[in-house]
PDB file of all heavy atoms in Angstrom:
ATOM      1  N   ALA A 356     102.931  89.298 121.040  1.00  0.00           N
ATOM      2  CA  ALA A 356     101.551  89.741 121.285  1.00  0.00           C
ATOM      3  C   ALA A 356     101.384  91.214 120.917  1.00  0.00           C
ATOM      4  O   ALA A 356     100.328  91.626 120.422  1.00  0.00           O
ATOM      5  CB  ALA A 356     101.186  89.515 122.748  1.00  0.00           C
ATOM      6  N   ASP A 357     102.417  92.017 121.160  1.00  0.00           N
ATOM      7  CA  ASP A 357     102.325  93.444 120.829  1.00  0.00           C
ATOM      8  C   ASP A 357     102.312  93.650 119.317  1.00  0.00           C
ATOM      9  O   ASP A 357     101.600  94.524 118.800  1.00  0.00           O
ATOM     10  CB  ASP A 357     103.461  94.235 121.499  1.00  0.00           C
ATOM     11  CG  ASP A 357     104.820  93.612 121.286  1.00  0.00           C
ATOM     12  OD1 ASP A 357     104.915  92.368 121.182  1.00  0.00           O
ATOM     13  OD2 ASP A 357     105.813  94.357 121.206  1.00  0.00           O
ATOM     14  N   GLU A 358     103.049  92.826 118.585  1.00  0.00           N
ATOM     15  CA  GLU A 358     103.015  92.920 117.118  1.00  0.00           C
ATOM     16  C   GLU A 358     101.614  92.566 116.600  1.00  0.00           C
ATOM     17  O   GLU A 358     101.095  93.205 115.684  1.00  0.00           O
ATOM     18  CB  GLU A 358     104.048  91.979 116.482  1.00  0.00           C
ATOM     19  CG  GLU A 358     105.486  92.486 116.496  1.00  0.00           C
ATOM     20  CD  GLU A 358     106.178  92.375 117.851  1.00  0.00           C
ATOM     21  OE1 GLU A 358     105.609  91.752 118.780  1.00  0.00           O
ATOM     22  OE2 GLU A 358     107.307  92.911 118.003  1.00  0.00           O
ATOM     23  N   ARG A 359     100.996  91.578 117.232  1.00  0.00           N
ATOM     24  CA  ARG A 359      99.640  91.192 116.802  1.00  0.00           C
ATOM     25  C   ARG A 359      98.632  92.294 117.124  1.00  0.00           C
ATOM     26  O   ARG A 359      97.692  92.540 116.364  1.00  0.00           O
ATOM     27  CB  ARG A 359      99.233  89.866 117.458  1.00  0.00           C
ATOM     28  CG  ARG A 359     100.072  88.693 116.953  1.00  0.00           C
ATOM     29  CD  ARG A 359      99.597  87.394 117.552  1.00  0.00           C
ATOM     30  NE  ARG A 359      98.274  87.015 117.072  1.00  0.00           N
ATOM     31  CZ  ARG A 359      97.379  86.347 117.806  1.00  0.00           C
ATOM     32  NH1 ARG A 359      97.648  86.008 119.056  1.00  0.00           N
ATOM     33  NH2 ARG A 359      96.210  86.037 117.290  1.00  0.00           N
ATOM     34  N   LEU A 360      98.844  92.951 118.248  1.00  0.00           N
ATOM     35  CA  LEU A 360      97.961  94.068 118.612  1.00  0.00           C
ATOM     36  C   LEU A 360      98.050  95.177 117.558  1.00  0.00           C
ATOM     37  O   LEU A 360      97.042  95.759 117.149  1.00  0.00           O
ATOM     38  CB  LEU A 360      98.379  94.602 119.989  1.00  0.00           C
ATOM     39  CG  LEU A 360      97.367  95.476 120.727  1.00  0.00           C
ATOM     40  CD1 LEU A 360      96.166  94.637 121.194  1.00  0.00           C
ATOM     41  CD2 LEU A 360      98.010  96.172 121.925  1.00  0.00           C
ATOM     42  N   TRP A 361      99.266  95.448 117.139  1.00  0.00           N
ATOM     43  CA  TRP A 361      99.472  96.477 116.098  1.00  0.00           C
ATOM     44  C   TRP A 361      98.770  96.062 114.804  1.00  0.00           C
ATOM     45  O   TRP A 361      98.043  96.850 114.179  1.00  0.00           O
ATOM     46  CB  TRP A 361     100.979  96.703 115.872  1.00  0.00           C
ATOM     47  CG  TRP A 361     101.286  97.819 114.913  1.00  0.00           C
ATOM     48  CD1 TRP A 361     100.579  98.982 114.770  1.00  0.00           C
ATOM     49  CD2 TRP A 361     102.358  97.884 113.970  1.00  0.00           C
ATOM     50  NE1 TRP A 361     101.170  99.775 113.798  1.00  0.00           N
ATOM     51  CE2 TRP A 361     102.262  99.117 113.294  1.00  0.00           C
ATOM     52  CE3 TRP A 361     103.408  97.016 113.644  1.00  0.00           C
ATOM     53  CZ2 TRP A 361     103.164  99.506 112.296  1.00  0.00           C
ATOM     54  CZ3 TRP A 361     104.311  97.405 112.654  1.00  0.00           C
ATOM     55  CH2 TRP A 361     104.188  98.639 111.985  1.00  0.00           C
ATOM     56  N   ALA A 362      98.958  94.782 114.432  1.00  0.00           N
ATOM     57  CA  ALA A 362      98.322  94.287 113.198  1.00  0.00           C
ATOM     58  C   ALA A 362      96.799  94.434 113.289  1.00  0.00           C
ATOM     59  O   ALA A 362      96.141  94.857 112.327  1.00  0.00           O
ATOM     60  CB  ALA A 362      98.712  92.830 112.961  1.00  0.00           C
ATOM     61  N   ALA A 363      96.253  94.118 114.464  1.00  0.00           N
ATOM     62  CA  ALA A 363      94.796  94.202 114.628  1.00  0.00           C
ATOM     63  C   ALA A 363      94.304  95.636 114.396  1.00  0.00           C
ATOM     64  O   ALA A 363      93.318  95.852 113.686  1.00  0.00           O
ATOM     65  CB  ALA A 363      94.398  93.726 116.027  1.00  0.00           C
ATOM     66  N   VAL A 364      94.996  96.611 114.978  1.00  0.00           N
ATOM     67  CA  VAL A 364      94.549  98.007 114.812  1.00  0.00           C
ATOM     68  C   VAL A 364      94.636  98.431 113.360  1.00  0.00           C
ATOM     69  O   VAL A 364      93.713  99.059 112.823  1.00  0.00           O
ATOM     70  CB  VAL A 364      95.415  98.986 115.635  1.00  0.00           C
ATOM     71  CG1 VAL A 364      94.842 100.387 115.552  1.00  0.00           C
ATOM     72  CG2 VAL A 364      95.481  98.573 117.069  1.00  0.00           C
ATOM     73  N   GLU A 365      95.752  98.107 112.736  1.00  0.00           N
ATOM     74  CA  GLU A 365      95.912  98.571 111.350  1.00  0.00           C
ATOM     75  C   GLU A 365      94.896  97.896 110.436  1.00  0.00           C
ATOM     76  O   GLU A 365      94.349  98.541 109.533  1.00  0.00           O
ATOM     77  CB  GLU A 365      97.342  98.340 110.852  1.00  0.00           C
ATOM     78  CG  GLU A 365      98.435  99.077 111.649  1.00  0.00           C
ATOM     79  CD  GLU A 365      98.329 100.605 111.630  1.00  0.00           C
ATOM     80  OE1 GLU A 365      97.418 101.158 110.978  1.00  0.00           O
ATOM     81  OE2 GLU A 365      99.152 101.260 112.310  1.00  0.00           O
ATOM     82  N   LEU A 366      94.620  96.627 110.682  1.00  0.00           N
ATOM     83  CA  LEU A 366      93.611  95.947 109.863  1.00  0.00           C
ATOM     84  C   LEU A 366      92.224  96.529 110.111  1.00  0.00           C
ATOM     85  O   LEU A 366      91.422  96.707 109.190  1.00  0.00           O
ATOM     86  CB  LEU A 366      93.636  94.440 110.151  1.00  0.00           C
ATOM     87  CG  LEU A 366      94.669  93.677 109.317  1.00  0.00           C
ATOM     88  CD1 LEU A 366      95.034  92.341 109.955  1.00  0.00           C
ATOM     89  CD2 LEU A 366      94.139  93.438 107.890  1.00  0.00           C
ATOM     90  N   TRP A 367      91.946  96.841 111.356  1.00  0.00           N
ATOM     91  CA  TRP A 367      90.644  97.469 111.679  1.00  0.00           C
ATOM     92  C   TRP A 367      90.542  98.847 111.010  1.00  0.00           C
ATOM     93  O   TRP A 367      89.520  99.177 110.407  1.00  0.00           O
ATOM     94  CB  TRP A 367      90.528  97.581 113.203  1.00  0.00           C
ATOM     95  CG  TRP A 367      89.386  98.424 113.667  1.00  0.00           C
ATOM     96  CD1 TRP A 367      88.047  98.180 113.483  1.00  0.00           C
ATOM     97  CD2 TRP A 367      89.481  99.648 114.394  1.00  0.00           C
ATOM     98  NE1 TRP A 367      87.302  99.193 114.060  1.00  0.00           N
ATOM     99  CE2 TRP A 367      88.164 100.107 114.627  1.00  0.00           C
ATOM    100  CE3 TRP A 367      90.540 100.406 114.886  1.00  0.00           C
ATOM    101  CZ2 TRP A 367      87.887 101.287 115.318  1.00  0.00           C
ATOM    102  CZ3 TRP A 367      90.274 101.573 115.576  1.00  0.00           C
ATOM    103  CH2 TRP A 367      88.963 102.004 115.784  1.00  0.00           C
ATOM    104  N   ARG A 368      91.589  99.620 111.094  1.00  0.00           N
ATOM    105  CA  ARG A 368      91.553 100.948 110.470  1.00  0.00           C
ATOM    106  C   ARG A 368      91.295 100.852 108.968  1.00  0.00           C
ATOM    107  O   ARG A 368      90.631 101.690 108.378  1.00  0.00           O
ATOM    108  CB  ARG A 368      92.876 101.690 110.703  1.00  0.00           C
ATOM    109  CG  ARG A 368      93.010 102.262 112.085  1.00  0.00           C
ATOM    110  CD  ARG A 368      94.332 102.987 112.262  1.00  0.00           C
ATOM    111  NE  ARG A 368      94.398 104.236 111.509  1.00  0.00           N
ATOM    112  CZ  ARG A 368      95.451 105.065 111.548  1.00  0.00           C
ATOM    113  NH1 ARG A 368      96.510 104.772 112.299  1.00  0.00           N
ATOM    114  NH2 ARG A 368      95.443 106.179 110.852  1.00  0.00           N
ATOM    115  N   THR A 369      91.890  99.826 108.357  1.00  0.00           N
ATOM    116  CA  THR A 369      91.773  99.709 106.903  1.00  0.00           C
ATOM    117  C   THR A 369      90.439  99.107 106.477  1.00  0.00           C
ATOM    118  O   THR A 369      89.843  99.546 105.497  1.00  0.00           O
ATOM    119  CB  THR A 369      92.946  98.874 106.348  1.00  0.00           C
ATOM    120  OG1 THR A 369      94.157  99.530 106.718  1.00  0.00           O
ATOM    121  CG2 THR A 369      92.884  98.740 104.837  1.00  0.00           C
ATOM    122  N   THR A 370      89.973  98.098 107.238  1.00  0.00           N
ATOM    123  CA  THR A 370      88.786  97.360 106.779  1.00  0.00           C
ATOM    124  C   THR A 370      87.520  97.711 107.551  1.00  0.00           C
ATOM    125  O   THR A 370      86.416  97.475 107.052  1.00  0.00           O
ATOM    126  CB  THR A 370      88.997  95.832 106.953  1.00  0.00           C
ATOM    127  OG1 THR A 370      89.107  95.558 108.367  1.00  0.00           O
ATOM    128  CG2 THR A 370      90.258  95.361 106.243  1.00  0.00           C
ATOM    129  N   GLY A 371      87.673  98.225 108.770  1.00  0.00           N
ATOM    130  CA  GLY A 371      86.497  98.462 109.607  1.00  0.00           C
ATOM    131  C   GLY A 371      85.910  97.177 110.183  1.00  0.00           C
ATOM    132  O   GLY A 371      84.878  97.199 110.855  1.00  0.00           O
ATOM    133  N   ASP A 372      86.571  96.068 109.966  1.00  0.00           N
ATOM    134  CA  ASP A 372      86.064  94.766 110.412  1.00  0.00           C
ATOM    135  C   ASP A 372      86.107  94.656 111.943  1.00  0.00           C
ATOM    136  O   ASP A 372      87.162  94.802 112.568  1.00  0.00           O
ATOM    137  CB  ASP A 372      86.944  93.684 109.769  1.00  0.00           C
ATOM    138  CG  ASP A 372      86.426  92.279 110.028  1.00  0.00           C
ATOM    139  OD1 ASP A 372      85.830  92.044 111.100  1.00  0.00           O
ATOM    140  OD2 ASP A 372      86.646  91.420 109.164  1.00  0.00           O
ATOM    141  N   ALA A 373      84.935  94.362 112.522  1.00  0.00           N
ATOM    142  CA  ALA A 373      84.806  94.341 113.988  1.00  0.00           C
ATOM    143  C   ALA A 373      85.632  93.239 114.654  1.00  0.00           C
ATOM    144  O   ALA A 373      85.943  93.324 115.842  1.00  0.00           O
ATOM    145  CB  ALA A 373      83.338  94.196 114.362  1.00  0.00           C
ATOM    146  N   THR A 374      85.988  92.205 113.906  1.00  0.00           N
ATOM    147  CA  THR A 374      86.794  91.132 114.495  1.00  0.00           C
ATOM    148  C   THR A 374      88.122  91.678 115.002  1.00  0.00           C
ATOM    149  O   THR A 374      88.576  91.340 116.093  1.00  0.00           O
ATOM    150  CB  THR A 374      87.111  90.055 113.414  1.00  0.00           C
ATOM    151  OG1 THR A 374      85.967  89.890 112.610  1.00  0.00           O
ATOM    152  CG2 THR A 374      87.536  88.755 114.040  1.00  0.00           C
ATOM    153  N   TYR A 375      88.752  92.492 114.165  1.00  0.00           N
ATOM    154  CA  TYR A 375      90.050  93.059 114.560  1.00  0.00           C
ATOM    155  C   TYR A 375      89.868  94.015 115.738  1.00  0.00           C
ATOM    156  O   TYR A 375      90.689  94.073 116.643  1.00  0.00           O
ATOM    157  CB  TYR A 375      90.693  93.808 113.382  1.00  0.00           C
ATOM    158  CG  TYR A 375      90.876  92.942 112.157  1.00  0.00           C
ATOM    159  CD1 TYR A 375      90.257  93.261 110.949  1.00  0.00           C
ATOM    160  CD2 TYR A 375      91.670  91.795 112.217  1.00  0.00           C
ATOM    161  CE1 TYR A 375      90.415  92.470 109.825  1.00  0.00           C
ATOM    162  CE2 TYR A 375      91.829  90.992 111.097  1.00  0.00           C
ATOM    163  CZ  TYR A 375      91.197  91.335 109.904  1.00  0.00           C
ATOM    164  OH  TYR A 375      91.349  90.542 108.802  1.00  0.00           O
ATOM    165  N   HIS A 376      88.782  94.756 115.694  1.00  0.00           N
ATOM    166  CA  HIS A 376      88.500  95.705 116.771  1.00  0.00           C
ATOM    167  C   HIS A 376      88.329  94.965 118.100  1.00  0.00           C
ATOM    168  O   HIS A 376      88.904  95.364 119.123  1.00  0.00           O
ATOM    169  CB  HIS A 376      87.239  96.500 116.419  1.00  0.00           C
ATOM    170  CG  HIS A 376      87.053  97.717 117.267  1.00  0.00           C
ATOM    171  ND1 HIS A 376      85.871  98.378 117.369  1.00  0.00           N
ATOM    172  CD2 HIS A 376      87.916  98.384 118.081  1.00  0.00           C
ATOM    173  CE1 HIS A 376      85.993  99.409 118.200  1.00  0.00           C
ATOM    174  NE2 HIS A 376      87.238  99.433 118.633  1.00  0.00           N
ATOM    175  N   ARG A 377      87.584  93.896 118.068  1.00  0.00           N
ATOM    176  CA  ARG A 377      87.372  93.119 119.301  1.00  0.00           C
ATOM    177  C   ARG A 377      88.690  92.576 119.836  1.00  0.00           C
ATOM    178  O   ARG A 377      88.950  92.602 121.033  1.00  0.00           O
ATOM    179  CB  ARG A 377      86.386  91.967 119.041  1.00  0.00           C
ATOM    180  CG  ARG A 377      84.927  92.388 119.144  1.00  0.00           C
ATOM    181  CD  ARG A 377      84.008  91.176 119.286  1.00  0.00           C
ATOM    182  NE  ARG A 377      84.093  90.300 118.113  1.00  0.00           N
ATOM    183  CZ  ARG A 377      83.377  90.475 116.992  1.00  0.00           C
ATOM    184  NH1 ARG A 377      82.507  91.475 116.910  1.00  0.00           N
ATOM    185  NH2 ARG A 377      83.507  89.648 115.972  1.00  0.00           N
ATOM    186  N   PHE A 378      89.519  92.106 118.929  1.00  0.00           N
ATOM    187  CA  PHE A 378      90.826  91.576 119.347  1.00  0.00           C
ATOM    188  C   PHE A 378      91.614  92.659 120.079  1.00  0.00           C
ATOM    189  O   PHE A 378      92.199  92.437 121.135  1.00  0.00           O
ATOM    190  CB  PHE A 378      91.618  91.092 118.124  1.00  0.00           C
ATOM    191  CG  PHE A 378      92.966  90.509 118.471  1.00  0.00           C
ATOM    192  CD1 PHE A 378      93.120  89.143 118.693  1.00  0.00           C
ATOM    193  CD2 PHE A 378      94.091  91.321 118.583  1.00  0.00           C
ATOM    194  CE1 PHE A 378      94.359  88.604 119.020  1.00  0.00           C
ATOM    195  CE2 PHE A 378      95.337  90.795 118.910  1.00  0.00           C
ATOM    196  CZ  PHE A 378      95.464  89.432 119.124  1.00  0.00           C
ATOM    197  N   PHE A 379      91.598  93.859 119.515  1.00  0.00           N
ATOM    198  CA  PHE A 379      92.330  94.968 120.131  1.00  0.00           C
ATOM    199  C   PHE A 379      91.757  95.284 121.510  1.00  0.00           C
ATOM    200  O   PHE A 379      92.494  95.409 122.495  1.00  0.00           O
ATOM    201  CB  PHE A 379      92.268  96.213 119.234  1.00  0.00           C
ATOM    202  CG  PHE A 379      92.922  97.410 119.873  1.00  0.00           C
ATOM    203  CD1 PHE A 379      94.300  97.571 119.817  1.00  0.00           C
ATOM    204  CD2 PHE A 379      92.163  98.348 120.568  1.00  0.00           C
ATOM    205  CE1 PHE A 379      94.910  98.656 120.438  1.00  0.00           C
ATOM    206  CE2 PHE A 379      92.762  99.432 121.182  1.00  0.00           C
ATOM    207  CZ  PHE A 379      94.135  99.584 121.122  1.00  0.00           C
ATOM    208  N   LEU A 380      90.440  95.395 121.580  1.00  0.00           N
ATOM    209  CA  LEU A 380      89.815  95.808 122.846  1.00  0.00           C
ATOM    210  C   LEU A 380      90.062  94.778 123.949  1.00  0.00           C
ATOM    211  O   LEU A 380      90.214  95.132 125.113  1.00  0.00           O
ATOM    212  CB  LEU A 380      88.318  96.043 122.647  1.00  0.00           C
ATOM    213  CG  LEU A 380      87.980  97.281 121.803  1.00  0.00           C
ATOM    214  CD1 LEU A 380      86.474  97.393 121.586  1.00  0.00           C
ATOM    215  CD2 LEU A 380      88.519  98.565 122.441  1.00  0.00           C
TER     216      LEU A 380
END
Side-chain angles (χ1 to χ4, degrees):
D357 49 328
E358 281 76 8
R359 293 183 68 212
L360 197 70
W361 185 35
V364 186
E365 299 298 359
L366 274 159
W367 169 64
R368 283 180 70 178
T369 301
T370 65
D372 186 328
T374 321
Y375 303 119
H376 194 197
R377 276 197 298 275
F378 181 92
F379 176 82
L380 290 177

